[in-house]
Amino acid sequence: MSLRIALLIPLTIGFAATAVAQMKPDVVIEYRRSVMTMVGWNFGPMGAMVKGKIPFDAKEFAKHAERIEFLAPQALEGFAKGSDKGAETDAKPDIWTNFDDFKSKLNDLIEQSKTMSEVAKGGDEAKMKEQFKKLGGTCKACHDKYRAEMHH
Amino acid sequence: MSLRIALLIPLTIGFAATAVAQMKPDVVIEYRRSVMTMVGWNFGPMGAMVKGKIPFDAKEFAKHAERIEFLAPQALEGFAKGSDKGAETDAKPDIWTNFDDFKSKLNDLIEQSKTMSEVAKGGDEAKMKEQFKKLGGTCKACHDKYRAEMHH
């Protein structure tokens, strides 16, 4: 392991440090945008079903829920220290000054997405819709505090 | 279901048609780029381990392998018909004129990523490295034929 990587490890956040420490900020930013895009891609049709904009399809809903459950724990790596700038980003600098709070909000997403996926496997439409609101609440809580106005 | 959505369904490719049919091409393109970015993010450290650029860590390797296994089947939605233009993209128009061939190459990725994840769970470093080459081969086969020169 090179000295440069070894020195950077303390700046990373408790995962594959050797690999991520080598990433440039713009690459980390592109990654986190990608995680959010994929979460949103799956969240969208669930929301459309809940709002009755498209027919409710429990199987499709559960598929999207499972994908979000799997994606959510992959977001944290996208907020590695040092990635507050380096490319266009909606992530507010407050993320890194309040990292424990940010991480706790991300954990809320992880937990509620697990529950969402479990509930969706049960197939009870009313329960699914109820849990979907809790899931959406975790997105909103974090975005309200830590996401700047969308640029796009 | 609106008439517009109903008419668009035949143009989509065998999944949550109602939802994706409503997506604008630029949204689909951003989604597929996101899938590829996430796959690449996970593929990178695996490659670095295989090449000895970072220490081999079977557990980390398996984590990344499992993520690619889960991401790979999510790529197809990103190549919905009509998304050949609408935003900057490296996807060649040939994808949609040879869609069966493209889909078969994408299936190779899905299959090899499944095998990669299984092999990685076994923890045998030599087998993992061997299977990693097969996995990388499926990326290359598709990129050589269907990806334009990278713009970035």
Side-chain angles (χ1 to χ4, degrees):
Chain A
M1 202 183 330
S2 77
L3 182 62
R4 186 177 159 265
I5 296 173
L7 286 170
L8 282 169
I9 287 173
L11 296 176
T12 63
I13 45 177
F15 58 93
T18 47
V20 176
Q22 297 176 100
M23 292 293 174
K24 290 179 183 168
D26 60 325
V27 176
V28 178
I29 292 169
E30 194 189 347
Y31 170 75
R32 76 171 168 247
R33 294 176 64 103
S34 297
V35 180
M36 294 302 165
T37 295
M38 287 194 73
V39 170
W41 178 268
N42 286 289
F43 193 82
M46 293 167 79
M49 285 183 211
V50 168
K51 288 176 191 164
K53 290 185 180 177
I54 58 173
F56 191 84
D57 178 331
K59 207 183 149 192
E60 276 298 313
F61 193 98
K63 184 190 77 179
H64 291 301
E66 192 184 27
R67 288 180 172 179
I68 294 175
E69 178 192 16
F70 198 85
L71 291 164
Q74 299 184 55
L76 186 62
E77 299 175 17
F79 295 90
K81 286 202 172 82
S83 68
D84 52 323
K85 44 192 140 187
E88 187 184 320
T89 179
D90 298 320
K92 285 189 181 171
D94 293 357
I95 289 171
W96 292 274
T97 49
N98 298 308
F99 204 73
D100 285 347
D101 178 61
F102 173 76
K103 221 166 134 177
S104 130
K105 286 184 164 42
L106 196 51
N107 279 333
D108 291 343
L109 167 69
I110 292 168
E111 289 309 314
Q112 294 299 333
S113 68
K114 268 186 207 165
T115 306
M116 180 75 266
S117 186
E118 278 161 27
V119 169
K121 280 181 182 108
D124 181 320
E125 187 174 333
K127 283 185 189 164
M128 285 157 79
K129 289 180 173 175
E130 195 189 322
Q131 178 58 26
F132 178 78
K133 280 169 197 163
K134 286 190 193 162
L135 177 63
T138 67
C139 302
K140 185 173 170 8
C142 199
H143 288 168
D144 283 354
K145 192 162 178 186
Y146 292 117
R147 186 176 67 171
E149 291 297 311
M150 296 291 278
H151 296 116
H152 40 89
Chain B
M1 203 185 328
S2 76
L3 181 63
R4 184 176 161 265
I5 295 173
L7 286 171
L8 281 168
I9 286 173
L11 296 175
T12 63
I13 46 177
F15 58 94
T18 47
V20 175
Q22 297 177 99
M23 292 291 173
K24 289 180 185 169
D26 61 323
V27 175
V28 178
I29 291 169
E30 193 188 348
Y31 170 75
R32 76 170 168 247
R33 295 176 64 104
S34 296
V35 180
M36 294 302 164
T37 295
M38 288 194 73
V39 169
W41 176 269
N42 286 289
F43 193 83
M46 293 167 80
M49 285 184 210
V50 168
K51 289 177 190 163
K53 290 187 179 175
I54 58 172
F56 191 84
D57 178 332
K59 208 182 149 192
E60 277 297 315
F61 194 99
K63 184 189 77 180
H64 292 300
E66 192 185 25
R67 288 179 174 180
I68 293 175
E69 179 193 13
F70 198 85
L71 291 164
Q74 300 184 56
L76 187 62
E77 298 174 17
F79 295 91
K81 287 202 172 83
S83 68
D84 53 323
K85 44 192 141 190
E88 186 185 320
T89 179
D90 297 321
K92 285 187 181 172
D94 294 357
I95 289 171
W96 292 275
T97 49
N98 298 307
F99 205 72
D100 285 347
D101 179 61
F102 173 76
K103 222 166 135 178
S104 132
K105 286 184 165 42
L106 196 51
N107 279 334
D108 290 343
L109 166 69
I110 292 169
E111 289 310 314
Q112 294 300 331
S113 69
K114 268 186 207 165
T115 306
M116 180 75 267
S117 186
E118 279 162 27
V119 169
K121 282 183 181 108
D124 181 319
E125 187 175 331
K127 283 185 189 164
M128 284 156 80
K129 288 180 174 175
E130 196 189 321
Q131 178 58 27
F132 178 76
K133 280 168 198 165
K134 286 190 194 163
L135 176 62
T138 67
C139 303
K140 186 173 168 12
C142 200
H143 289 168
D144 283 353
K145 192 162 176 183
Y146 293 117
R147 186 176 67 171
E149 291 296 311
M150 297 289 279
H151 297 116
H152 40 90

